[in-house]
Amino acid sequence: MSGYVEQFDVQSPQLTVRETVEFSTKMRLDESILIETKLKFSEQILHMLELSSIGHLIVGNLSFEQTKRLSIAVELASNPSIIFLDEPTSGLDSRAASVVMKSLRRIADSGIAVVCTIHQPSVAIFNSFDSLLLLKRGGETVYFGDLGFESCNLIQYLEKYPSTTPIKGGENAATWMLTVIGAGSTNSGTKSFDYADAYANSPLAVECLSKIDVMNEAFSLKESSKITYDKKYPTSRTFQSIEVFKRLLKIYWRSPGYNRVRLLVSGIVALLFGSVFASQRVPENEGDMNSRVTSIYITTLFLGVNAMNTVLPVFEVERNMFYRHKASLMYDYRAIGLAFTLVEIPFLILASMVFVVLWYFTVGFAMNAGKFLLYWLFMFLSLAVFTFLGQGFMAVFPDSQTAQGFGSLLIGMSGIFGGILIRPQFIPPFWMWGYWLFPLHYVLEGLFTSQFQGDNTTIVASYGSPFFDTVCPDIEPGDPIPTNCTGTAEEWIYVSFGGMWVPENIPYDILYLCGAIIVARVMVLFGLMKKNYLAA
């Protein structure tokens, strides 16, 4: 029924002009209308607003004036009977403002009512309007009626009052009327006269109220004239989900600052830390094992931090765009929530695969397909957990700074209770909740137990270590230190983590990480359903 163009409306900068208008048309017109018909209607809108020639351009490369016309086109896509605009010429130079006003004039001539708020327009812009509602401070009506040719009706109305200073030849009627009612930049000396009260008792006001009464009475007598809808959204949830996913996939594909960077970071981290083990791919002693454990811990935590921090600004932009689309009843929170999940999966698979391929073989892990796939699976789940938790924080909290603060808390607690800085068997009982709650330990347990299961690589024990006491239990204090006190890599992992990290836990680790992803998605759905920080 109606459309609304905000003063500083924004559109997704990765889409083209034509894609933006077509998406609005598809989502805001009834699903019973053929897609071909909707696309033809989109082309008509582009032609009306002189956007056809730039339909292929990316929105992020448009000028402010072109973006303003695009925002109008997006609202026209709903085929409204009336469209409201908040200061459509604000921030535009005279030429750009003229282009926008000509577009609005064409819209009005097509039969759509155009209502604008406007402050101190130029003569040309002011004369483009048919009618005027003039308000004084406090919202009281000073004039409401047709402007007439070059504002003649307005001028005649105000000049009939003795307190009004007559307009000068060539003076801007918009500036003059503001000065007359005491809202201009100069003191007109007519503040004692109440133009609002004069209008309320004028024949013009009586005529206006009479028309309103007639329309209300006619509407109340015709029950059939009432507009009703049998559903909240013009399209089905399936159609919404498909179209929103296609739109978001284009946005992700055209966001190199997000996706290419995280792929690059995955590759750099893998090569940087993997190069440390290039000359010694087989561990020989406990120092080598500790080095590998620490490197796995750092790379996993680093990529988790990167995944969470990089997704925040991307999600914030599209979340704010969803608020706008939600107000227009284009689609609901479930469609965008599903799209945010599905669109991340291919990039998470690729990013985790890039890391594992470059890291796994450089470090010298077993040439075993099962172990390789398990390492990739846990890295994929790790990136997914931190990415989706980042989305969850961004959906629940008002801005990326707040979300990043809570994300840093999660990362920090995960790092502390991940089982590496403090081994599980040494964590005080009071703090064991952190070990079981935060996700990093499940990732690391899965990585270590899957890779070192059945690993019979000989590891020389260090005197005095728990591993030494396990593999050489008969050595008494003061006895000569044996040179052949050795065990296997699998035994070292078991002893080093107090027997708490065992291969039998791998299914439970996977189950927990999948559960953490589900919790993160619930956070996203809750935030999108209940919150709207742009409305605050």
Side-chain angles (χ1 to χ4, degrees), residues 257-291:
Y258 176 45
N259 291 305
R260 292 181 191 173
V261 167
R262 59 176 169 176
L263 293 178
L264 186 62
V265 168
S266 296
I268 291 176
V269 170
L271 294 175
L272 184 64
F273 284 89
S275 62
V276 176
F277 305 100
S279 58
Q280 189 187 26
R281 304 177 66 208
V282 179
E284 298 176 353
N285 51 50
E286 289 197 67
D288 295 340
M289 289 297 294
N290 276 313
S291 177

Side-chain angles (χ1 to χ4, degrees), residues 17 45 51 72 125 150 192 204 213 238-239 263 344 347 352 393 440 442 455 481 490:
V17 171
I45 295 172
L51 293 172
I72 298 172
I125 291 176
E150 295 186 350
S192 58
L204 195 62
D213 291 338
T238 301
F239 185 85
L263 293 178
E344 279 284 355
F347 297 99
S352 56
F393 288 141
L440 188 60
Y442 297 94
D455 189 342
I481 300 175
E490 182 181 26

Side-chain angles (χ1 to χ4, degrees), residues 32 42 47 53 69 105-106 109 115 142 185 208 219 243 248-249 275 318 365 367 429 440 476 482 485-486 503 522 526:
S32 61
S42 298
H47 178 73
S53 60
R69 282 189 285 146
R105 182 72 260 176
R106 282 193 294 271
D109 292 340
V115 180
V142 173
S185 58
C208 176
F219 180 79
E243 291 299 324
L248 203 56
L249 186 61
S275 62
E318 291 307 312
F365 285 128
M367 301 294 287
L440 188 60
E476 299 291 337
C485 185
T486 61
V522 171
F526 173 80

Side-chain angles (χ1 to χ4, degrees), residues 300-370:
T300 304
L301 186 62
F302 186 92
L303 292 178
V305 172
N306 181 68
M308 178 172 288
N309 288 339
T310 54
V311 78
L312 296 180
V314 176
F315 188 90
E316 183 178 22
V317 171
E318 291 307 312
R319 180 202 68 176
N320 294 343
M321 186 63 63
F322 165 71
Y323 293 154
R324 184 72 180 86
H325 292 166
K326 179 182 178 181
S328 301
L329 297 181
M330 295 173 67
Y331 52 88
D332 70 356
Y333 65 95
R334 283 165 288 203
I336 189 69
L338 179 61
F340 272 125
T341 304
L342 297 179
V343 77
E344 279 284 355
I345 291 177
F347 297 99
L348 291 173
I349 291 174
L350 189 57
S352 56
M353 184 60 72
V354 167
F355 171 78
V356 174
V357 167
L358 297 176
W359 163 261
Y360 189 90
F361 301 105
T362 306
V363 174
F365 285 128
M367 301 294 287
N368 181 292

Side-chain angles (χ1 to χ4, degrees), residues 202-221:
S202 68
L204 195 62
V206 174
E207 181 185 356
C208 176
L209 293 175
S210 298
K211 289 181 179 178
I212 294 175
D213 291 338
V214 170
M215 287 188 290
N216 287 336
E217 184 178 356
F219 180 79
S220 63
L221 294 176

Side-chain angles (χ1 to χ4, degrees), residues 324-480:
R324 184 72 180 86
H325 292 166
K326 179 182 178 181
S328 301
L329 297 181
M330 295 173 67
Y331 52 88
D332 70 356
Y333 65 95
R334 283 165 288 203
I336 189 69
L338 179 61
F340 272 125
T341 304
L342 297 179
V343 77
E344 279 284 355
I345 291 177
F347 297 99
L348 291 173
I349 291 174
L350 189 57
S352 56
M353 184 60 72
V354 167
F355 171 78
V356 174
V357 167
L358 297 176
W359 163 261
Y360 189 90
F361 301 105
T362 306
V363 174
F365 285 128
M367 301 294 287
N368 181 292
K371 290 187 175 183
F372 174 85
L373 290 176
L374 277 174
Y375 202 105
W376 167 77
L377 175 62
F378 277 103
M379 287 306 301
F380 166 76
L381 291 174
S382 175
L383 292 180
V385 166
F386 287 110
T387 298
F388 291 140
L389 283 174
Q391 290 185 355
F393 288 141
M394 196 67 254
V396 172
F397 298 114
D399 50 52
S400 56
Q401 291 81 6
T402 306
Q404 190 172 36
F406 280 90
S408 299
L409 178 63
L410 172 68
I411 292 290
M413 297 296 283
S414 294
I416 293 173
F417 294 107
I420 302 300
L421 300 182
I422 307 174
R423 297 298 162 91
Q425 66 271 28
F426 299 127
I427 297 178
F430 176 78
W431 291 101
M432 282 302 292
W433 62 268
Y435 172 77
W436 295 113
L437 178 62
F438 296 104
L440 188 60
H441 116 248
Y442 297 94
V443 177
L444 297 175
E445 181 181 27
L447 291 175
F448 293 147
T449 56
S450 64
Q451 296 312 303
F452 292 102
Q453 181 183 12
D455 189 342
N456 295 319
T457 301
T458 300
I459 303 298
V460 178
S462 299
Y463 180 74
S465 70
F467 184 57
F468 182 92
D469 296 336
T470 300
V471 296
C472 298
D474 299 329
I475 304 299
E476 299 291 337
D479 291 347

